Amino acid sequence: MGPHCVKCCRRQCGMQTCARQPHKQSKQFKPFTATNCVRSPEGHRSTRAVAVKHDDQDSSRWRQAGLGLAAATAAAAATAALGHLVLPAQAVTNEQLLFLEAWRAVDRAYVDKTFNDQSWFKLRETYLKKEPMANRPQTYDAIRKLLATLDDPFTRFLEPSRLAALRRGTQGSVTGVGLEITYDDASRTGIVVQTPVPGGPADKAGIKAGDAIVAVDGTPVKGLSLYDAADLVQGEANTQVELTLHPPGNPKAHHTVQLTRQKVNNSPVSYTTCLGAASAALPEGAASDRKLGYIRLATFNSNTTAAAQQAIADLKKQGVAGIVLDVRNNGGGLFPAGVNVARMLIDKGNIVLIADNQGIRDIYSADGNSIDKDTPLVVLVNRGTASASEVLAGALKDSGRGIIVGERTFGKGLIQTVVDLSDGSGVAVTVARYQTPGGVDINKVGISPDIELPTDPVPTGSKEVCNYFASDSAPKLFG
């Protein structure tokens, strides 16, 4: 939320859990918020829930994410008590207690209850007896080894410094090269670009979503964790870094790019009204002034909900003939922000389903408080559209509310939660996967567009995009 992603500019993905009670409907749009956990008569958590990626705005409200899954909710409390653990007869040291906190977090929340076809309890006893835990570095190593047995690159240990960096990830500006990276699906050891931040150093250098990173300053990245790879890319502002990359599926075409690290501002929302748009870019029956609304959603952070609400309401007030919602190279961010934007545009029906390996689902639904449920809508997507952006695109597609135009999206359908450990470190745990309202699991598959269109020629700046939609090159967007 991401996720399995890591921003190479100190933005990393993780989630924690809590459930909410549904708020009452009103005539005005209300972003959903987290309150207390509730149980249904069947003993499961309420199907109303929240899920956040990268959130650190109000730790007492969110902590970092929300999921209504009973197992995931229990994980957030794993650091408070060790529950029914049966400890070895010998005295348990403070270092072993920290190890047990990490073990317990996975035991309670992990999506695969076979734990990669191994006895999780037996592993606990084996590690307590055989792994050295005389000091904190040894304990951290033991936790990393334990998590590695799951063969899940996204369930990982977060040292205090990395957990702190994760929690700084929603402030809207970061220092780095403006890249979000993830694992190559084929090898699970290679590193690929998930999203270049629009306007960042990497984007200006022509780096694309899907490009494989071979080396950083000559150091090969294959086999490194996402965090270790990100550490190589990160550095002080105004310093240089050299990336060796190649296009997807074409390792012989590798090339090097010199980048200057800098502060990258990623404003979540920008919008404009394009006058005199070409007929091809407008829905049928557009008024003579040919007004077309354009909204660019660059990321989902703590400011996205309010900014998107203003943009949608303003364009509706202006009476635009149609709206182009651009989520190209939007790698996600705060999961609730994606759900909130969907609720602004969809008045009824489901938005996203969340399931674990036992089929338990949380359902995020429209609440009847949409801002604009009628204006014709097109959603621009590409390979850099991931996570919360795919939740939004999937909801708009399956509900029939919007037409998806562009390229197949990235395909990030896993959800992680971050559980705090008592020393300031944490464990990111894969707890669930999400599906579109139609029940489509998009992980590693993505969302297919209704209209395939190369999106590279479509600019993102307000003036440039309006000129493009008014030109003879404007594509047919509304079918």
Side-chain angles (χ1 to χ4, degrees), residues 200-265:
D203 181 49
K204 291 179 180 178
I207 295 175
K208 305 292 185 183
D211 284 351
I213 300 176
V214 179
V216 179
D217 285 334
T219 301
V221 300
K222 186 172 183 178
L224 295 182
S225 72
L226 293 179
Y227 294 113
D228 289 337
D231 284 344
L232 292 176
V233 178
Q234 293 165 176
E236 297 296 324
N238 299 318
T239 59
Q240 299 289 313
V241 61
E242 181 184 84
L243 301 185
T244 304
L245 311 100
H246 68 72
N250 192 6
K252 293 184 179 180
H254 68 271
H255 60 284
T256 60
V257 178
Q258 290 281 346
L259 300 174
T260 300
R261 301 178 179 102
Q262 65 182 48
K263 185 175 182 179
V264 179
N265 292 304

Side-chain angles (χ1 to χ4, degrees), residues 29-86:
F29 169 80
K30 292 183 179 179
F32 71 89
T33 57
T35 57
N36 58 303
C37 292
V38 294
R39 289 186 180 273
S40 65
E42 294 78 17
H44 297 305
R45 295 288 171 181
S46 166
T47 57
R48 300 287 184 176
V50 296
V52 187
K53 208 169 77 175
H54 305 313
D55 192 8
D56 190 37
Q57 300 305 307
D58 184 346
S59 59
S60 64
R61 262 178 86 193
W62 292 107
R63 296 300 296 166
Q64 267 180 289
L67 294 174
L69 300 175
T73 304
T79 61
L82 294 179
H84 65 269
L85 290 180
V86 180

Side-chain angles (χ1 to χ4, degrees), residues 283-370:
E284 292 185 7
S288 58
D289 56 10
R290 297 184 295 169
K291 290 194 294 186
L292 181 67
Y294 172 79
I295 302 174
R296 166 67 185 160
L297 291 182
T299 189
F300 291 100
N301 65 21
S302 59
N303 302 315
T304 301
T305 294
Q309 184 175 353
Q310 177 182 349
I312 294 170
D314 191 17
L315 292 177
K316 180 178 175 62
K317 183 178 180 180
Q318 293 182 43
V320 296
I323 295 175
V324 176
L325 183 64
D326 189 352
V327 291
R328 292 173 297 163
N329 292 331
N330 183 330
L334 301 183
F335 195 94
V339 175
N340 280 336
V341 174
R343 285 178 172 165
M344 297 175 198
L345 298 166
I346 300 172
D347 204 50
K348 61 182 179 179
N350 294 333
I351 291 172
V352 63
L353 313 177
I354 292 182
D356 64 9
N357 69 330
Q358 298 177 347
I360 301 171
R361 291 187 176 183
D362 285 345
I363 303 175
Y364 303 78
S365 300
D367 56 10
N369 297 319
S370 63

Side-chain angles (χ1 to χ4, degrees), residues 395-479:
L396 295 172
K397 178 178 181 176
D398 284 7
S399 67
R401 176 66 183 90
I403 300 171
I404 310 301
V405 177
E407 305 162 349
R408 184 177 293 274
T409 62
F410 186 85
K412 192 277 168 186
L414 296 178
I415 299 172
Q416 282 77 41
T417 184
V418 170
V419 180
D420 290 345
L421 303 184
S422 58
D423 74 331
S425 61
V427 179
V429 185
T430 299
V431 295
R433 59 186 179 274
Y434 63 73
Q435 302 174 359
T436 70
V440 178
D441 186 344
I442 67 168
N443 195 49
K444 299 182 180 180
V445 177
I447 295 173
S448 60
D450 299 308
I451 301 175
E452 291 190 6
L453 177 73
T455 60
D456 285 349
V458 184
T460 56
S462 296
K463 181 179 179 180
E464 293 80 4
V465 79
C466 284
N467 289 338
Y468 179 76
F469 288 140
S471 70
D472 295 336
S473 301
K476 188 171 179 61
L477 296 177
F478 290 87

